[in-house]
Amino acid sequence: MYEGAVQNLIDELGRLPGVGPKSAQRIAFYILNADASEMQKLSSAITQVKQTVSFCEVCGNVSETKLCVICRDERRDPSALCVVEESKDVVAVERTRSFTGRYHVLGGAINPLAGMGPEQLRIRELVARLSDERIQEIILAMDPNLEGEATATYLSRMLTPLGIRVSRLASGLPVGGDLEYADEITLGRALEGRRIISEGTRFTQANAAEEFEQAVEEETAEVEAQKAAEPSAPRQRWNGSMFDDIDDSEDTGSTDDEGSASDRAVEQDAGGQGAGEQGSLNEALLEQEIQALPVASDQFGASQESNDAAGQEAPRRVPGSMTAEERAAAAFDEEEATSQDASESQDARRAEYERQLAELRKTPLRTAKPDVPPIPGKTYVNPWE
């Protein structure tokens, strides 16, 4: 503790921001040891700044007149407005020489612990300035700390409904910094605020299933178009090739040779006509083929015998030329025969079952006495005797 004026000077210097008791003590002894003329300049500078310097009526920046230098400059872009916390932030942005718009100083940030709320800031003056239709964008340049984020969030929610573009300063890695020393929040914001260098030429691929379905539809449409474009082939009429199936059903090789020879003869008789046109019929060759064919089934043989017995000439029929009614009747007869065979087999099995059951009933229901007792020293008792 010091006496009198020295202690009073130390106490007053300790009230300055960023100055502790030790720093205040060193500054006080520096003033005591300094020249009186230098301390007089310091005292007059403090007195003058308090008497002449005030805040700009428009933006809130420090100025010796009603309007600051930036607000008086007509070359500034009136469509962009940068909102900062303190006047020192204006100087920091101006050093970049990247912003040519105007500023608005809030005079602090929202800090409930320090008793600083939206009412203590110059937010009303900001809203009043937005009546100027030339303002198209507001840049929120608050410090990246808790108080700055709270102030930026409050302003963004309040200004977004007004229809004005609101942006925030990007935060990320500093120039010359290393990724391994960056904290998670800084690195995450750097990724969110990354810049696009090139958009690229690759297109975004759609869903693979949708592409497959589209390809199938295109292929189906192409096939249908090809079918529609192709002329319809004329219906093939009867010719000698109908005997190919009959020739294949023959077991002997001679019949096959004859069938192939007859086909060639029919083709030669057709005079080189197309398959879709009807050629001249060789009656002699057709009659020879019909006579060479064996009887197709017992039904045809029986009908032929009955016709011969009656003294009538039976018409020759080519196998495979049955009408729809005849095929239906043959299928019905075959089904009846199959069901009759199954019924007879079932009756035979039932008769055999009855016979075995009758033999079992005739057998006496008793067990024969064994020659050797199952347990030594015990007498076997037959429960059926």
Side-chain angles (χ1 to χ4, degrees):
M1 297 292 294
Y2 297 94
E3 297 180 358
V6 176
Q7 187 61 40
N8 293 336
L9 179 60
I10 294 175
D11 294 341
E12 294 298 329
L13 292 174
R15 295 171 59 182
L16 298 176
V19 179
K22 294 294 183 181
S23 300
Q25 182 178 351
R26 287 195 298 269
I27 294 173
F29 279 98
Y30 174 78
I31 293 174
L32 291 175
N33 296 328
D35 190 6
S37 60
E38 295 180 359
M39 295 300 100
Q40 187 65 32
K41 293 179 181 179
L42 176 61
S43 176
S44 61
I46 295 174
T47 304
Q48 183 180 4
V49 74
K50 292 301 296 181
Q51 293 177 352
T52 59
V53 177
S54 61
F55 296 98
C56 178
E57 296 180 355
V58 178
C59 66
N61 192 14
V62 292
S63 175
E64 295 182 1
T65 59
K66 292 182 178 181
L67 297 178
C68 64
V69 178
I70 298 176
C71 292
R72 293 196 306 265
D73 191 357
E74 298 294 338
R75 295 172 298 178
R76 289 280 179 169
D77 184 10
S79 63
L81 184 64
C82 182
V83 182
V84 296
E85 296 180 8
E86 301 291 345
S87 299
K88 57 184 178 62
D89 299 331
V90 175
V91 179
V93 176
E94 283 295 309
R95 284 201 300 263
T96 63
R97 298 182 180 180
S98 300
F99 181 70
T100 59
R102 299 181 184 275
Y103 296 91
H104 185 85
V105 181
L106 295 176
I110 297 177
N111 188 3
L113 299 178
M116 185 72 68
E119 296 79 8
Q120 285 74 31
L121 302 179
R122 301 182 71 254
I123 298 179
R124 295 181 180 178
E125 290 79 357
L126 175 61
V127 177
R129 293 186 65 180
L130 296 181
S131 60
D132 188 358
E133 297 181 355
R134 295 179 299 174
I135 299 176
Q136 301 295 330
E137 181 182 5
I138 296 178
I139 303 174
L140 303 179
M142 284 75 186
D143 295 337
N145 51 23
L146 184 60
E147 293 79 9
E149 292 294 334
T151 306
T153 303
Y154 178 83
L155 292 177
S156 62
R157 292 181 179 179
M158 184 183 63
L159 299 176
T160 300
L162 299 180
I164 302 176
R165 181 181 180 183
V166 181
S167 60
R168 182 82 164 90
L169 286 183
S171 58
L173 297 174
V175 177
D178 296 333
L179 289 176
E180 58 179 339
Y181 299 116
D183 59 283
E184 292 81 0
I185 298 178
T186 302
L187 190 56
R189 290 185 177 180
L191 290 174
E192 293 176 359
R194 62 188 182 276
R195 294 186 305 165
I196 298 177
I197 299 176
S198 175
E199 293 291 345
T201 57
R202 293 185 178 180
F203 59 90
T204 304
Q205 295 183 355
N207 190 5
E210 296 179 357
E211 291 184 354
F212 178 75
E213 293 178 358
Q214 184 178 2
V216 171
E217 293 178 358
E218 293 178 357
E219 185 177 357
T220 304
E222 184 178 357
V223 172
E224 293 179 354
Q226 291 179 358
K227 290 182 178 179
E230 292 178 357
S232 58
R235 185 175 179 180
Q236 188 174 8
R237 301 184 62 84
W238 183 89
N239 53 22
S241 61
M242 64 177 293
F243 294 102
D244 293 343
D245 298 336
I246 301 175
D247 296 335
D248 294 340
S249 62
E250 299 295 334
D251 297 334
T252 60
S254 61
T255 308
D256 295 338
D257 296 338
E258 293 175 358
S260 59
S262 63
D263 293 340
R264 289 193 298 270
V266 172
E267 292 178 357
Q268 291 175 1
D269 294 338
Q273 296 180 354
E277 300 178 0
Q278 183 176 4
S280 59
L281 179 62
N282 192 339
E283 297 292 343
L285 181 59
L286 178 59
E287 186 68 21
Q288 180 182 357
E289 291 291 338
I290 293 175
Q291 293 177 1
L293 291 175
V295 179
S297 60
D298 296 338
Q299 182 179 2
F300 285 99
S303 60
Q304 185 175 4
E305 291 177 359
S306 61
N307 293 333
D308 294 340
Q312 299 178 0
E313 184 180 358
R316 297 182 180 273
R317 301 188 62 184
V318 180
S321 61
M322 299 174 62
T323 62
E325 291 79 3
E326 293 176 350
R327 288 196 298 271
F332 179 76
D333 295 341
E334 184 178 357
E335 184 177 357
E336 288 292 335
T338 303
S339 60
Q340 184 176 2
D341 295 342
S343 178
E344 293 177 357
S345 177
Q346 186 176 3
D347 294 341
R349 288 196 300 270
R350 182 178 294 277
E352 180 65 19
Y353 173 75
E354 295 292 343
R355 186 186 64 76
Q356 294 180 3
L357 183 61
E359 292 180 359
L360 289 175
R361 289 176 180 175
K362 295 177 182 179
T363 305
L365 189 62
R366 61 179 59 186
T367 305
K369 182 177 180 180
D371 297 336
V372 180
I375 303 176
K378 299 293 182 178
T379 304
Y380 179 77
V381 180
N382 190 351
W384 302 104
E385 294 180 354

